Amino acid sequence: MITYARAKRQSLRFNRVNPRNSWNSIQEYLRVDATRTAHLVRAVRARNEHRSDGCDDVAVLIRDRDRHGAMRRGESLSVELRSLVSHGLVARRRQIATRRATMKLATYERIRAVFASTPCDAYPDLDAIRAECPECTLDALVSIYSQESSRKIRATHGKHVRAIEAHAKRYVLGEDVFSIAANVDFPACQLMRLLLEYLLGVGHKSVGGVLRDPFGRIPEVPERGTPAAEYGAKLCARLRADVERVVAWDHQASPAVDVLRHNAGKEYEDLLEELLTNERIPFVTEQDLRADGHARTPDIKLEVPIAVKGRIVNWIDSKASFSDPVVHVEKGTEQFQGYVNRFGPGMVIYWHGIIDELNTDPNVLLVDAFPDTKDIVKLKMI
């Protein structure tokens, strides 16, 4: 099981552009207050023993929640965030915009194999992987791991839906939710979603709200006719505590991680707009295009085409991820071809890196950073 402190540090890597906003997105999701913190501490203390590696989950939780609360009140910042903010975000944005992260397909497959074999309750040793593949950036590895974890969840979700009765039986007989999740190699948050749907009869579309507010959404006693009814109020109390635990500790499928991914995507879109403005390249945004009636649109449509490394660019799409070859070929190719059909050739920025062998489409240029000024040719107006 990963500690909350480590999960928080890992989550910040999903939003390297503006780490302060990234942490704000966590606090907005978690809605920290004294009552919720007390719930979390009780939840962890109730069914979570001291870790075998000597790290006390409760101590970690209290320490990080206290730091979080201080940030919310504006009284202090962690050393890491204070350092980044004091040095100015402009320099950080410039560093992100110009870094290079390309990778060979063979290297990618080797890294992916390591992540695919990593159990869901463990975290891969990224430092060891970087030692073997020094050309890989940390952001690239985090993105690949996230993509592989999501792929694994999708591939096994149906199997666990069919087996939920067996999983639920183990749970109501007293087995810890993390123990079950580790045994079946499925993220604890995803397992808890299925348990809530099965035991309490929560609708699929409503279970997300239960994860966000278990003490407000899970009833004191189960409704009649649900599988949980025969176990009474004690099971509901346990479910409330365990929902808090899995949301706090799950580093793959927690709703907080989903919020971070969404905010990271928005941050990189903002960065792209800022860089285009600095280069004095006129453009319209996705929102502008949709307001004009376009359905599927890129993030940026250039009002005047530019040339990048000899390639014409009419539009730009921003991806806060690594260029996963499976996703790129199966979904990206169709998506980008639609843009080509409407607007002509364009460019896709995979901010966390690209695979060299994927850059074969003459109409879609793949890059891993915003082009240098010397590589951009602008149309001269007469």
Side-chain angles (χ1 to χ4, degrees):
M1 190 192 312
I2 191 169
T3 67
Y4 185 84
R6 189 173 181 184
K8 183 203 72 173
R9 289 195 298 271
Q10 181 58 35
S11 297
L12 287 175
R13 292 169 184 156
F14 280 107
N15 192 345
R16 300 293 288 276
V17 178
N18 192 335
R20 189 172 186 178
N21 281 355
S22 178
W23 189 237
N24 287 343
S25 68
I26 300 178
Q27 74 179 35
E28 180 183 352
Y29 165 74
L30 291 174
R31 305 191 310 267
V32 176
D33 54 35
T35 302
R36 190 172 177 85
T37 300
H39 285 331
L40 277 168
V41 172
R42 286 199 302 270
V44 174
R45 183 172 283 138
R47 295 189 59 82
N48 214 46
E49 298 177 352
H50 286 213
R51 294 162 51 92
S52 59
D53 59 8
C55 180
D56 182 352
D57 280 347
V58 174
V60 170
L61 178 63
I62 294 173
R63 184 190 68 211
D64 282 79
R65 303 297 284 192
D66 285 346
R67 181 184 303 159
H68 181 174
M71 285 185 59
R72 179 170 184 161
R73 295 187 299 272
E75 296 174 359
S76 67
L77 289 172
S78 69
V79 174
E80 177 184 12
L81 297 184
R82 188 188 301 118
S83 174
L84 286 172
V85 173
S86 64
H87 282 83
L89 293 175
V90 174
R92 180 61 182 153
R93 285 174 179 267
R94 187 179 298 113
Q95 177 186 351
I96 292 172
T98 58
R99 71 184 173 203
R100 295 291 182 265
T102 59
M103 187 184 298
K104 294 294 183 183
L105 182 59
T107 302
Y108 168 81
E109 292 293 352
R110 189 163 68 251
I111 294 171
R112 181 186 170 191
V114 173
F115 292 156
S117 62
T118 302
C120 68
D121 65 330
Y123 199 81
D125 189 342
L126 298 185
D127 292 332
I129 297 175
R130 291 189 72 188
E132 294 183 7
C133 307
E135 72 276 15
C136 301
T137 65
L138 178 60
D139 286 334
L141 294 177
V142 170
S143 182
I144 296 170
Y145 175 68
S146 175
Q147 292 163 346
E148 192 59 36
S149 299
S150 297
R151 184 180 292 113
K152 187 175 181 180
I153 291 171
R154 291 193 300 270
T156 59
H157 184 267
K159 177 181 72 173
H160 294 293
V161 170
R162 294 187 293 271
I164 188 57
E165 185 175 355
H167 297 340
K169 184 176 181 179
R170 294 172 63 178
Y171 181 77
V172 298
L173 290 178
E175 188 171 351
D176 184 60
V177 63
F178 283 111
S179 174
I180 302 171
N183 180 255
V184 300
D185 197 20
F186 196 55
C189 249
Q190 289 293 330
L191 178 61
M192 180 55 69
R193 285 176 178 269
L194 298 182
L195 288 173
L196 291 170
E197 292 176 17
Y198 177 78
L199 291 173
L200 299 181
V202 178
H204 180 71
K205 293 183 178 180
S206 303
V207 72
V210 178
L211 290 179
R212 290 176 174 82
D213 185 19
F215 285 84
R217 298 290 188 91
I218 296 179
E220 291 295 325
V221 294
E223 293 184 6
R224 292 182 180 180
T226 61
E230 63 178 291
Y231 301 98
K234 186 175 181 180
L235 179 60
C236 285
R238 183 183 168 202
L239 283 169
R240 287 193 291 271
D242 282 347
V243 167
E244 293 281 16
R245 291 177 63 215
V246 298
V247 169
W249 306 126
D250 191 333
H251 63 288
Q252 288 188 348
S254 168
V257 174
D258 293 336
V259 170
L260 283 166
R261 289 172 181 163
H262 173 78
N263 279 275
K266 185 64 174 67
E267 282 287 338
Y268 277 103
E269 291 174 15
D270 293 344
L271 172 60
L272 175 58
E273 293 178 17
E274 178 184 313
L275 293 167
L276 287 168
T277 301
N278 292 342
E279 291 287 343
R280 296 185 177 181
I281 299 174
F283 64 90
V284 293
T285 66
E286 181 179 16
Q287 289 73 24
D288 298 328
L289 292 171
R290 290 188 175 180
D292 289 339
H294 295 279
R296 302 179 63 182
T297 63
D299 294 318
I300 294 294
K301 169 66 173 67
L302 302 181
E303 293 189 311
V304 179
I306 62 174
V308 177
K309 299 179 180 179
R311 303 274 292 272
I312 299 298
V313 174
N314 293 279
W315 54 267
I316 304 175
D317 209 45
S318 171
K319 300 289 185 184
S321 63
F322 186 83
S323 61
D324 183 315
V326 177
V327 175
H328 178 80
V329 172
E330 292 182 355
K331 297 182 179 180
T333 301
E334 179 182 354
Q335 175 189 359
F336 303 143
Q337 187 58 48
Y339 302 159
V340 171
N341 294 341
R342 293 182 183 88
F343 308 115
M347 179 173 71
V348 180
I349 304 178
Y350 282 102
W351 294 100
H352 295 331
I354 60 174
I355 293 177
D356 288 339
E357 290 87 337
L358 291 181
N359 220 341
T360 58
D361 191 330
N363 293 313
V364 181
L365 174 64
L366 303 184
V367 296
D368 53 7
F370 190 81
D372 294 329
T373 301
K374 62 182 177 60
D375 294 326
I376 300 174
V377 178
K378 304 173 188 176
L379 181 65
K380 293 183 179 180
M381 304 299 291
I382 299 178

